[in-house]
């Protein structure tokens, strides 16, 4: 059986990451009839940073996603820090591991990359003008370092987000589907591009395979891809997007079925999910919502 992080660490990461991912899902899925798209301001930062669609390469192996985050947090000595992180997780007690992860997450929260999203429109325009002047005043070497950091953070965020959307919809992460596709599994290829079509432009294998298919090499496979591309990843209404995202993150850590209903309710409270809006007023309602999530995961949204 594949090892998993300790329960306390999984809980901490769910509380930290699920609300933000759930907010993106909640804000943009309803307005786009089941199509998932990042907020335009985030898309613009990704494009202007030079990252493009290259973040999809992280799907080849799940540790690459964590590596992007660690390189963002520890740019000066990433290899050493990664080794220290791995050694610490292996050698220390759960309480000490939890403190280590909390410290790293505090460093991430202290970064100001997302501050502009909390400003009013006028403040945002003023901040952009100030930032532009500051940007023009720094050296090219400093610009390159800043862009590299932005690329790493957004590579982590995009890969992490879509990885869990895939788990919600197909019951498998992109870090499972993409390696299967690279081995020639056509169903995995179709499922992967349905969740993140940037694979068709950002990943050499997906891009080259699709280009060959457009020449008539395998009409049946091309038709299957087109069918998935024309099908919104979230086909029906997700009644509780933030809650389902929380389930997906717990699921990703392989803890969803082993947390009790009471424990998940406590996680929801810490993540500031409204119990009434998500219809999880008590344990019995929470169990129903979890069963719904599992059922939709099997039949698709």
């Amino acid at each position: 059986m594949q090892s998993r992080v300790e329960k306390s660490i999984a809980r901490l990461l769910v509380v930290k990451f699920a609300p933000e991912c759930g907010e993106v899902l909640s804000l943009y899925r309803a307005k786009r009839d089941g199509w998932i798209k990042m907020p335009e301001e985030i898309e613009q930062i990704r494009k202007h940073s030079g990252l493009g669609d290259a973040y999809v390469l992280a799907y080849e192996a799940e540790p690459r996603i964590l590596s992007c985050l660690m390189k963002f947090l520890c740019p000066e000595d990433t290899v050493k820090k990664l080794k220290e992180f791995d050694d610490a997780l292996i050698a220390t007690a759960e309480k000490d591991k939890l403190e280590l992860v909390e410290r790293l997450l505090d460093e991430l929260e202290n970064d100001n990359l997302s501050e502009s999203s909390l400003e009013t429109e006028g403040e945002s325009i003023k901040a952009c003008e100030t930032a532009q002047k500051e940007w023009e005043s720094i050296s090219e070497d400093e610009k390159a370092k800043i862009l590299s950091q932005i690329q790493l953070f957004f590579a982590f965020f995009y890969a992490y987000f879509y990885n869990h959307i895939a788990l919600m919809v197909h019951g498998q992460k992109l870090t499972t589907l993409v390696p299967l596709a690279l081995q020639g599994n056509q169903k995995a290829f179709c499922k992967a591009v349905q969740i993140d079509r940037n694979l068709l432009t950002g990943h050499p294998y997906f891009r080259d395979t699709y280009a060959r298919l457009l020449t008539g090499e395998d009409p049946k496979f091309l038709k299957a891809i087109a069918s998935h591309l024309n099908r919104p990843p979230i086909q029906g209404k997700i009644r509780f997007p933030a809650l389902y995202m929380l389930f997906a993150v717990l699921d990703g850590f392989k803890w969803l079925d082993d947390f009790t209903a009471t424990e998940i309710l406590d996680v929801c409270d810490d993540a500031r999910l409204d119990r009434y809006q998500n219809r999880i007023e008590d344990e019995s309602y929470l169990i129903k919502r979890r069963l719904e999530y599992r059922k939709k995961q099997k039949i698709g949204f």
Side-chain angles (χ1 to χ4, degrees), residues 171-207:
Q172 291 176 300
K173 296 180 181 179
L174 284 167
T175 46
T176 297
L177 294 171
V178 168
L180 286 173
L182 296 178
Q183 296 170 19
N185 188 310
Q186 294 184 358
K187 288 185 178 179
F189 188 109
C190 293
K191 289 180 178 180
V193 299
Q194 181 189 14
I195 300 300
D196 192 349
R197 62 180 59 210
N198 287 339
L199 280 161
L200 296 175
T201 52
H203 195 292
Y205 176 81
F206 282 77
R207 181 176 62 243

Side-chain angles (χ1 to χ4, degrees), residues 115-175:
E115 282 184 358
S116 62
S117 63
L118 303 177
E119 299 167 345
T120 64
E121 183 176 357
E123 290 172 337
S124 182
I125 293 172
K126 184 177 180 180
C128 287
E129 292 173 349
T130 302
Q132 182 63 31
K133 291 178 181 178
E134 292 177 353
W135 178 256
E136 292 171 354
S137 68
I138 64 178
S139 68
E140 292 301 317
D141 286 343
E142 284 298 313
K143 288 179 182 177
K145 289 180 181 179
I146 293 171
L147 286 175
S148 176
Q149 289 301 99
I150 292 173
Q151 289 172 1
L152 287 167
F153 176 78
F154 280 95
F156 160 75
F157 183 75
Y158 269 73
Y160 187 88
F161 177 75
Y162 283 110
N163 210 27
H164 286 84
I165 292 292
L167 186 60
M168 281 177 54
V169 176
H170 295 307
Q172 291 176 300
K173 296 180 181 179
L174 284 167
T175 46

Side-chain angles (χ1 to χ4, degrees), residues 35-263:
W35 297 101
I36 302 299
K37 184 180 184 297
M38 286 290 184
E40 186 58 32
E41 59 269 25
I42 295 180
E43 285 281 82
Q44 289 302 316
I45 294 173
R46 176 175 69 88
K47 292 174 182 177
H48 291 157
S49 74
L51 174 63
D53 299 333
Y55 71 88
V56 300
L57 294 171
Y59 297 141
E60 289 187 9
E62 191 156 357
R64 289 188 181 182
I65 300 177
L66 174 61
S67 179
C68 288
L69 178 61
M70 291 297 294
K71 288 177 181 177
F72 167 73
L73 292 171
C74 314
E76 300 301 326
D77 200 356
T78 303
V79 174
K80 181 181 177 181
K81 291 292 184 181
L82 276 172
K83 186 176 187 308
E84 291 175 356
F85 184 74
D86 288 341
D87 291 344
L89 287 184
I90 292 171
T92 62
E94 181 174 350
K95 180 181 177 182
D96 296 327
K97 293 179 187 179
L98 183 61
E99 291 177 356
L100 173 65
V101 176
E102 285 178 330
R103 188 166 65 250
L104 288 172
L105 290 175
D106 286 341
E107 291 181 30
L108 179 60
E109 284 189 344
N110 288 334
D111 186 84
N112 61 4
L113 279 175
S114 61
E115 282 184 358
S116 62
S117 63
L118 303 177
E119 299 167 345
T120 64
E121 183 176 357
E123 290 172 337
S124 182
I125 293 172
K126 184 177 180 180
C128 287
E129 292 173 349
T130 302
Q132 182 63 31
K133 291 178 181 178
E134 292 177 353
W135 178 256
E136 292 171 354
S137 68
I138 64 178
S139 68
E140 292 301 317
D141 286 343
E142 284 298 313
K143 288 179 182 177
K145 289 180 181 179
I146 293 171
L147 286 175
S148 176
Q149 289 301 99
I150 292 173
Q151 289 172 1
L152 287 167
F153 176 78
F154 280 95
F156 160 75
F157 183 75
Y158 269 73
Y160 187 88
F161 177 75
Y162 283 110
N163 210 27
H164 286 84
I165 292 292
L167 186 60
M168 281 177 54
V169 176
H170 295 307
Q172 291 176 300
K173 296 180 181 179
L174 284 167
T175 46
T176 297
L177 294 171
V178 168
L180 286 173
L182 296 178
Q183 296 170 19
N185 188 310
Q186 294 184 358
K187 288 185 178 179
F189 188 109
C190 293
K191 289 180 178 180
V193 299
Q194 181 189 14
I195 300 300
D196 192 349
R197 62 180 59 210
N198 287 339
L199 280 161
L200 296 175
T201 52
H203 195 292
Y205 176 81
F206 282 77
R207 181 176 62 243
D208 295 345
T209 299
Y210 191 56
R212 288 199 310 272
L213 293 175
L214 291 175
T215 66
E217 181 177 297
D218 188 341
K220 185 176 179 180
F221 186 17
L222 181 61
K223 184 177 180 180
I225 293 173
S227 175
H228 280 76
L229 289 175
N230 290 327
R231 192 185 312 158
I234 310 300
Q235 295 177 41
K237 290 183 178 180
I238 298 181
R239 294 173 62 197
F240 316 107
L243 178 64
Y244 277 20
M245 201 69 205
L246 186 144
F247 284 162
V249 178
L250 264 180
D251 201 9
F253 289 123
K254 302 183 185 301
W255 275 109
L256 178 59
D257 295 323
D258 291 339
F259 268 62
T260 66
T262 301
E263 288 172 329

